[in-house]
C-alpha cells in the first residue's frame, strides 16, 4: 500500500512539473512577444486602398503629395526643425519628442542635411484643396470604410487592394529611442494598381474647379457632359471640402458635404427649350407670334415678364434669345399639357439618374397632369417655375440631348472596375440612347440658343474663338431672407454650336442672374476645354 501511494505521488509530481514548465514556456513566449512589440514604435502608419482613376488612367486619388519629417529626439533634430516650424506647431513637436521618443509630422518641406530628420514623400489619398471631393467622397476616420461618393459606392471593391506607408524606430520598453536607431520606412502605397476608372477627365475637372472659384461660384455646381454620349467629363460642387478633415464640416451652415450637382433646385428659364421642343413636336410653327406687353393674365393670375415694358410682337427665336416669359406662357397654353409633359418626361425630368451603382441623382419634382390641368400651374411650368425642380445633372442631360442630335443619353460616371494588375475587370454598360427630339427640331432649337449667346441674354458666354449655344435663367425660389427672395442663377449650353463637343451647366445658389453669375463661367470653361483639345 505504501509503495502504491509513493508511486501515485511521483506521477502527480511529474505531471505538476510538466505543467509548470508549460506555463513558464507560455509566459516566456508572451514576454518575448511583448519585448518584440515594444522594440519598435510606429510614428506613422497609413493604410491605402484602391485607386480612383480618370478616363485616361491618371490617378485622382493619390494625386497630390506632401513630405513627412520623421524626427529623432535630439537637439540637432530640434534645431533643424526650427527652420521650418514655429509657434504652436513647434511646441507640439517638442511635446511629442519629450522623454526621448521619436515623432513624425506632415510638412510642405523638411530641412536638408540633418541625419536626425528623415524625409519621406507621402502620397495623399485626398487633395487638401478638395479636388473632385464630391466625386471621390471619403472614408470613416475610425472604420476606414467608405461613407460618401465613390468611396462608399465601391467600398467592397476598393478595400480589396491594400498598401501602407509605415515609419518605425527601434525603442526600449519605455518607448525611448535606442542609440543608433534609424527610421525604417515601408512604403507599398505606390504599388496599388486596382481600383475604378471614371469617365471624368482630370484636366477638364481642373478647368471647371478653377473657373468656379475664380468666377465666384461659392455655392453651386457645374456639370460637363461629352456630346454624343452620357460620359460625365467633370462634376464639381461648391463649397468644396478637405476629406482629410471631415469633422470640420459636419456642422457647417453652407453644407459643403452635399453634392449640389445631384440636388434639385428651381430651374427657371433654362427649362424653356423643353417647351419649344414640345411645341415643335406638336406641329406649332416656329414663326408662332405673340405680342408681349409686359404681363399676361391666365385665369385670375397675372404673370409678369422681366421686361416690364414688354418685348412687343416676337417669334420663337427672339422669345428664346430675350427669355420672354409671357411668350412661353402663351406657347405652353397652345401646345397643351400632354405635349409639354410628355416631352419633359422623355428628356429625363421627374426620374432619378443612376450615374453608377450606389450614386443616384435626385428625381426632382415634375408636376402631374392633374396639377398642370390648372392653367396657372401650366403657365408657371412653361417658364420653368411653379413646383418644377431639377438637378444640374438633369438640366445637363437635357441640353446634351440637343447637342447630340436629339438622342437622350443617360449620364454615367464610372467606365470600369480595374484589377490588381491594371486590367479591366468589369465595364459599366450604359443604356442605349432614347430618340427624344426630332433632329430637325433640334437644329432649329440649337439656332435659337446660338442667337441667345450671340445677341441675347447669354452674350457673356460668347467667345471670339468659337460659337456656343445656351440659355440663362434666374429662378425664383419663394424663399425669403430679410425680405429679399433668394434666386438660383443658371447657364446651360453647348459648344461649338455647329458641331457640339461638350455640354456645360452652371448653377449658382442665391445669385443675381444667370447672365451675370454663370455665363462668364461658361465662357471660361469652354475656352479652357477648347484650348485643351487643341494641345
Amino acid at each position: 500500500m505504501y509503495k502504491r501511494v509513493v508511486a501515485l505521488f511521483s506521477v502527480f509530481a511529474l505531471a505538476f512539473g510538466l505543467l509548470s514548465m508549460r506555463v513558464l514556456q507560455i509566459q516566456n513566449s508572451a514576454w518575448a512577444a511583448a519585448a518584440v512589440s515594444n522594440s519598435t514604435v510606429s510614428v506613422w502608419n497609413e493604410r491605402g486602398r484602391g485607386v480612383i482613376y480618370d478616363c485616361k488612367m491618371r490617378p485622382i486619388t493619390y494625386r497630390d503629395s506632401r513630405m513627412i519629417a520623421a524626427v529623432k529626439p535630439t537637439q540637432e533634430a530640434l534645431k533643424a526643425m526650427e527652420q521650418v516650424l514655429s509657434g504652436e506647431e513647434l511646441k507640439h513637436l517638442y511635446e511629442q519628442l519629450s522623454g526621448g521618443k521619436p515623432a513624425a509630422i506632415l510638412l510642405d518641406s523638411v530641412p536638408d542635411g540633418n541625419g536626425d530628420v528623415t524625409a519621406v514623400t507621402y502620397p495623399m489619398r485626398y487633395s487638401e484643396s478638395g479636388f473632385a471631393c464630391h466625386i471621390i467622397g471619403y472614408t470613416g476616420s475610425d472604420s476606414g470604410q467608405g461613407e460618401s461618393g465613390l468611396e462608399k459606392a465601391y467600398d467592397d471593391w476598393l478595400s480589396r487592394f491594400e498598401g501602407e506607408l509605415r515609419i518605425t524606430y527601434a525603442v526600449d520598453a519605455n518607448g525611448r529611442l535606442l542609440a543608433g536607431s534609424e527610421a525604417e520606412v515601408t512604403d507599398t502605397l505606390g504599388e496599388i494598381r486596382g481600383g475604378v476608372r471614371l469617365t471624368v477627365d482630370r484636366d477638364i475637372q481642373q478647368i471647371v474647379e478653377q473657373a468656379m472659384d475664380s468666377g465666384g461660384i461659392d455655392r453651386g455646381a457645374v456639370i460637363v457632359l461629352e456630346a454624343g454620349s452620357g460620359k460625365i467629363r467633370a462634376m464639381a460642387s461648391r463649397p468644396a471640402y478637405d476629406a482629410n478633415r471631415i469633422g470640420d464640416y459636419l456642422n457647417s451652415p453652407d453644407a459643403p458635404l452635399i453634392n449640389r450637382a445631384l440636388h434639385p433646385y428651381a430651374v427657371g428659364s433654362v427649362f424653356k427649350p423643353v417647351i419649344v421642343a414640345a411645341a415643335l413636336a406638336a406641329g406649332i410653327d416656329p414663326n408662332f407670334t405673340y405680342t408681349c406687353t409686359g404681363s399676361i393674365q391666365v385665369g385670375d393670375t397675372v404673370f409678369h415678364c422681366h421686361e416690364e415694358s414688354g418685348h412687343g410682337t416676337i417669334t420663337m427665336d427672339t422669345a428664346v434669345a430675350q427669355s420672354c416669359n409671357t411668350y412661353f406662357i402663351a406657347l405652353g397654353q397652345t401646345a397643351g399639357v400632354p405635349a409639354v409633359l410628355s416631352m419633359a418626361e422623355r428628356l429625363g425630368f421627374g426620374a432619378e439618374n443612376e450615374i453608377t451603382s450606389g450614386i443616384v441623382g435626385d428625381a426632382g419634382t415634375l408636376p402631374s397632369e392633374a396639377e398642370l390641368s390648372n392653367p396657372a400651374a401650366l403657365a408657371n411650368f412653361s417658364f420653368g417655375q411653379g413646383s418644377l425642380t431639377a438637378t444640374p445633372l438633369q438640366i445637363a442631360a437635357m441640353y446634351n440631348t440637343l447637342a447630340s442630335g436629339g438622342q437622350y443619353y443617360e449620364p454615367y460616371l464610372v467606365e470600369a472596375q480595374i484589377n490588381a494588375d491594371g486590367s479591366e475587370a468589369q465595364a459599366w454598360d450604359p443604356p442605349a440612347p432614347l430618340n427624344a427630339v426630332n433632329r430637325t427640331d433640334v437644329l432649329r432649337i440649337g439656332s435659337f440658343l446660338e442667337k441667345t449667346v450671340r445677341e441675347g441674354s447669354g452674350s457673356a458666354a460668347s467667345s471670339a474663338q468659337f460659337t456656343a449655344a445656351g440659355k440663362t435663367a434666374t429662378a425664383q425660389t419663394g424663399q425669403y431672407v430679410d425680405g429679399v427672395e433668394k434666386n438660383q442663377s443658371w447657364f446651360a449650353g453647348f459648344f461649338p454650336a455647329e458641331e457640339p463637343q461638350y455640354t456645360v451647366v452652371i448653377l449658382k445658389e442665391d445669385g443675381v442672374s444667370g447672365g451675370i453669375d454663370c455665363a462668364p463661367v461658361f465662357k471660361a470653361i469652354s475656352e479652357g476645354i477648347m484650348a485643351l483639345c487643341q494641345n
Side-chain angles (χ1 to χ4, degrees), residues 153-451:
Y154 286 85
D155 184 56
D156 289 344
W157 181 257
L158 295 172
S159 297
R160 297 184 185 188
F161 310 103
E162 295 184 350
E164 67 174 338
L165 174 59
R166 187 172 71 251
I167 306 172
T168 60
Y169 284 95
V171 295
D172 64 19
N174 294 316
R176 292 189 294 265
L177 186 71
L178 293 178
S181 174
E182 299 295 337
E184 183 176 336
V185 180
T186 302
D187 184 5
T188 58
L189 289 181
E191 298 174 10
I192 302 174
R193 294 289 179 268
V196 293
R197 185 180 74 242
L198 309 185
T199 58
V200 170
D201 185 299
R202 198 172 72 176
D203 294 330
I204 296 177
Q205 183 75 21
Q206 187 70 55
I207 289 168
V208 163
E209 296 200 20
Q210 288 176 347
M212 291 179 77
D213 294 338
S214 61
I217 308 295
D218 50 357
R219 290 194 310 279
V222 171
I223 291 280
V224 178
L225 297 180
E226 180 182 84
S229 80
K231 295 178 180 179
I232 299 172
R233 292 308 191 193
M235 179 170 66
S237 180
R238 287 294 183 268
Y241 61 84
D242 179 358
N244 301 291
R245 303 184 295 108
I246 288 299
D248 295 352
Y249 304 95
L250 296 178
N251 297 314
S252 172
D254 287 334
L257 301 182
I258 292 176
N259 186 349
R260 286 164 163 81
L262 308 179
H263 186 74
Y265 292 88
V267 296
S269 294
V270 289
F271 184 74
K272 287 175 178 175
V274 177
I275 305 303
V276 174
L280 294 175
I284 296 174
D285 194 305
N287 293 315
F288 173 86
T289 60
Y290 174 78
T291 301
C292 172
T293 61
S295 65
I296 183 173
Q297 183 166 343
V298 179
D300 296 330
T301 307
V302 176
F303 296 89
H304 296 277
C305 187
H306 66 87
E307 186 64 52
E308 295 181 2
S309 61
H311 289 101
T313 301
I314 55 177
T315 54
M316 235 177 247
D317 60 341
T318 302
V320 173
Q322 300 301 323
S323 202
C324 177
N325 288 344
T326 61
Y327 180 96
F328 277 92
I329 292 172
L331 186 63
Q333 301 287 332
T334 304
V337 172
V340 297
L341 193 56
S342 173
M343 182 58 69
E345 289 172 343
R346 291 208 300 277
L347 289 169
F349 293 92
E352 293 180 336
N353 295 115
E354 184 182 36
I355 58 176
T356 191
S357 298
I359 302 181
V360 179
D362 197 284
T365 304
L366 182 65
S368 66
E369 185 170 358
E371 180 182 345
L372 293 180
S373 64
N374 181 325
L378 177 58
N380 264 320
F381 184 72
S382 297
F383 62 101
Q385 293 285 177
S387 62
L388 173 70
T389 62
T391 66
L393 183 64
Q394 287 174 311
I395 297 297
M398 182 264 280
Y399 275 80
N400 202 48
T401 303
L402 302 177
S404 303
Q407 298 289 302
Y408 177 88
Y409 290 89
E410 188 70 35
Y412 66 103
L413 179 64
V414 173
E415 287 187 329
Q417 294 170 231
I418 304 300
N419 287 316
D421 62 359
S423 63
E424 189 175 289
Q426 182 176 346
W428 180 262
D429 186 20
L434 170 70
N435 187 16
V437 184
N438 178 283
R439 183 169 179 81
T440 301
D441 294 343
V442 163
L443 294 174
R444 183 168 282 121
I445 296 169
S447 69
F448 298 164
L449 295 173
E450 183 181 0
K451 181 177 180 179

